[in-house]
Amino acid sequence: MRCDQCNQNDATIFITQIVDGQTTKMALCATCGEPFTQAAAAAPEVREYLQGRRVPVSSLVDVYAQGADHDARYTKEAFWFVRDGVDHSVRSHSGASRHVTAHELLESLRVLALERYGSNAREQLGSWGVTRCEDFGEIVFALIDKGAFGKRPEDRKEDFDNGYDFASVFPVATP
């Protein structure tokens, strides 16, 4: 399902509001939904509610945005895009939670970038600081360090080296 606001990214935040019997539903991507998650994380009522139900308040913390806070080379959108790429790879290969190889992830990221941004994919990725496959590897391993992803002993950051040439797989449209 696409985000109701930007219509580009997959929706990961679902909001239902009921006021005077009127129901409004929104499906938002992480980028468009960030103000809602930040407000929820900061609201004492939400914190108390979650703690009363033994839900860790840390579940509201965005480890992807935190990854960007700790690595100024990339924006939080780049971290969210890698998250979406992992999800895309899992769904396209089996649908069940499983390990994703660097090669599978790179292919999913390529497909996802082209689906979302078309001939502007290279420009969009570049605006996030991602200009080569090695950048995806840096982001993946930063997220592994944050606990967002697991890894197998044979997984290495170098598995992302020379995955594909951005200029070849993300051609820029000519006017």
Side-chain angles (χ1 to χ4, degrees), residues 133-147:
C133 291
E134 290 84 346
D135 292 323
F136 287 134
E138 292 288 338
I139 293 169
V140 165
F141 275 80
L143 290 170
I144 288 169
D145 290 344
K146 286 274 179 204

Side-chain angles (χ1 to χ4, degrees), residues 147-170:
F149 300 144
K151 84 177 203 60
R152 292 186 175 166
E154 66 270 17
D155 292 333
R156 301 171 309 124
K157 196 183 302 184
E158 294 78 22
D159 295 341
F160 290 87
D161 291 357
N162 304 311
Y164 43 74
D165 175 57
F166 270 44
S168 299
V169 300
F170 302 125

Side-chain angles (χ1 to χ4, degrees), residues 15-92:
I15 300 170
T16 302
Q17 179 183 30
I18 303 171
V19 177
D20 294 329
Q22 296 284 3
T23 302
T24 304
K25 294 186 176 189
M26 289 188 292
L28 302 172
C29 66
T31 303
C32 297
E34 184 181 20
F36 293 100
T37 58
Q38 285 183 344
E45 300 86 6
V46 172
R47 288 181 170 287
E48 288 173 24
Y49 178 83
L50 293 174
Q51 288 170 339
R53 279 148 188 81
R54 299 187 193 272
V55 176
V57 177
S58 62
S59 65
L60 292 175
V61 174
D62 187 344
V63 296
Y64 304 95
Q66 281 185 342
D69 291 344
H70 287 75
D71 191 337
R73 294 175 295 176
Y74 311 110
T75 66
K76 61 188 170 196
E77 289 81 9
F79 284 79
W80 290 333
F81 184 73
V82 168
R83 178 209 52 209
D84 292 349
V86 170
D87 182 58
H88 182 271
S89 184
V90 168
R91 283 187 287 122
S92 66

